Amino acid sequence: MLELTKEYPSLTAVDSISFTVRQGEIFGFLGPNGAGKSTTIKMLATLLKPTRGTALINGYDIVRQPNQVRQSIGMVFQDPSLDERLTARENLVFHAMLYNVPSREMNSRIASVLEMVDLADRQHHLVRTFSGGMKRRLEIARGLLHYPAVLFLDEPTVGLDPQTRHRIWQYIHGLQQQHRITIFMTTHYMEEAENCQRIAIIDHGRLVALDSPLKLKEQYSASSLDEVFIHLTGREIREEIVRPQLGSSPRGHLRRRR
Ligand SMILES: Nc1ncnc2c1ncn2[C@@H]1O[C@H](COP(=O)(O)OP(=O)(O)OP(=O)(O)O)[C@@H](O)[C@H]1O
Ligand SMILES: [Mg+2]
């Protein structure tokens, strides 16, 4: 990523970000609400045009070679994007056609991704009858259908129960180990960020740190990533105000108001 920038008339959402993610790495992208995470992911996925700068994904330039980039990536959006009126399987077939998955391979690939997210027995059910966790798992399956080199996950486990989050993490680790897929994900859960090999922290569109969770904790003499995060994003005071309102939110889930 080289000086990747997205400017809107009233603000710079992503401000000249440069860093490299290694092949096969699980890379976490953290930052408070509105920091620029989704905007960055959308530019990397060629859904938004950068104002300046660019990035190479799987060796392809996001500005000059968007088609090759799209064939190289899978994407799980922050907002659900399944067609609820279709069955799980129909959603996957539609995606396979969109990504030119060869028709002779389509059935076996669909079977294998459904197996991976444990939804094979529900494939003929309408998505609107699925629970939140099942939809998320189906979205991950869909993101993998065309065997991407890089999988982007924008808050993939938000709102899911601990058991489902744990299972999704098992899939993610499995994918990385078996298929050497590079995973680029955002999360607000600090205990999840600990699963990443390296994390980048972004605030107000600027990169403020990039290192392994352990090194970040050492560097900032912090006992938890929460502490590193609050320190780097300078929101201690707001955090004090927001925390009592969080009530039963899971520990480590940082939600911020602007
Ligand atoms: N189309 C747009 N026009 C103007 N501003 C925008 C637009 N899209 C996003 N922004 C602004 O860009 C900033 C970054 O938004 P972005 O969605 O990337 O944040 P985020 O880090 O993903 O936050 P969250 O944790 O809430 O998902 C925000 O201030 C947002 O209001
Ligand atoms: Mg976002």
Side-chain angles (χ1 to χ4, degrees):
M1 225 177 290
L2 194 64
E3 299 190 1
L4 195 64
T5 302
K6 182 71 190 178
E7 287 173 356
Y8 289 112
S10 55
L11 90 167
T12 304
V14 176
D15 194 354
S16 205
I17 284 185
S18 304
F19 61 84
T20 304
V21 177
R22 301 174 192 134
Q23 196 202 344
E25 185 171 35
I26 299 182
F27 192 91
F29 201 42
L30 273 58
N33 290 145
K37 303 178 298 294
S38 296
T39 307
T40 303
I41 285 198
K42 284 180 194 158
M43 288 192 283
L44 296 176
T46 77
L47 301 168
L48 259 184
K49 255 200 155 76
T51 312
R52 271 193 309 285
T54 191
L56 293 184
I57 307 256
N58 200 27
Y60 300 114
D61 187 301
I62 57 167
V63 178
R64 288 183 294 116
Q65 299 168 294
N67 291 332
Q68 288 93 324
V69 170
R70 272 177 223 147
Q71 293 293 331
S72 307
I73 62 170
M75 177 84 205
V76 177
F77 295 97
Q78 181 167 7
D79 304 314
S81 64
L82 294 161
D83 193 328
E84 303 243 331
R85 299 159 304 175
L86 301 180
T87 66
R89 189 185 180 80
E90 284 164 350
N91 268 281
L92 296 178
V93 169
F94 182 64
H95 183 84
M97 293 193 310
L98 218 61
Y99 277 85
N100 303 316
V101 172
S103 52
R104 61 182 183 285
E105 279 186 34
M106 190 174 77
N107 286 335
S108 65
R109 285 206 201 177
I110 287 179
S112 100
V113 293
L114 281 170
E115 189 73 28
M116 185 180 292
V117 298
D118 206 13
L119 283 175
D121 55 339
R122 299 294 292 264
Q123 62 181 295
H124 298 298
H125 293 216
L126 291 178
V127 169
R128 71 175 149 76
T129 67
F130 279 16
S131 74
M134 290 162 70
K135 287 181 195 168
R136 219 55 186 145
R137 270 149 51 199
L138 181 60
E139 289 192 305
I140 293 175
R142 185 181 61 175
L144 292 169
L145 199 56
H146 52 286
Y147 293 168
V150 183
L151 181 63
F152 290 104
L153 300 162
D154 198 356
E155 300 195 30
T157 63
V158 77
L160 302 182
D161 66 52
Q163 212 175 328
T164 308
R165 278 164 62 195
H166 180 71
R167 287 196 50 184
I168 288 182
W169 269 100
Q170 282 181 324
Y171 303 137
I172 293 175
H173 283 301
L175 284 172
Q176 185 215 18
Q177 278 154 22
Q178 287 160 34
H179 305 283
R180 293 266 300 153
I181 291 181
T182 306
I183 313 274
F184 186 95
M185 68 177 305
T186 72
T187 178
H188 285 288
Y189 297 104
M190 292 301 148
E191 66 271 26
E192 275 192 0
E194 301 265 3
N195 281 300
C196 298
Q197 281 144 351
R198 291 189 305 153
I199 55 186
I201 298 181
I202 179 177
D203 190 21
H204 289 102
R206 302 203 70 112
L207 189 69
V208 293
L210 195 169
D211 219 324
S212 67
L214 188 65
K215 289 248 178 67
L216 283 173
K217 281 186 277 186
E218 278 172 9
Q219 200 175 333
Y220 294 94
S221 317
S223 60
S224 69
L225 272 183
D226 272 316
E227 283 177 28
V228 175
F229 189 87
I230 291 168
H231 173 80
L232 281 170
T233 56
R235 306 273 164 91
E236 295 92 324
I237 298 164
R238 262 178 234 191
E239 191 62 16
E240 289 300 320
I241 298 166
V242 169
R243 211 174 267 285
Q245 300 169 8
L246 286 175
S248 59
S249 287
R251 205 191 72 76
H253 183 195
L254 296 178
R255 201 183 322 185
R256 294 199 166 73
R257 317 257 148 94
R258 290 222 133 193

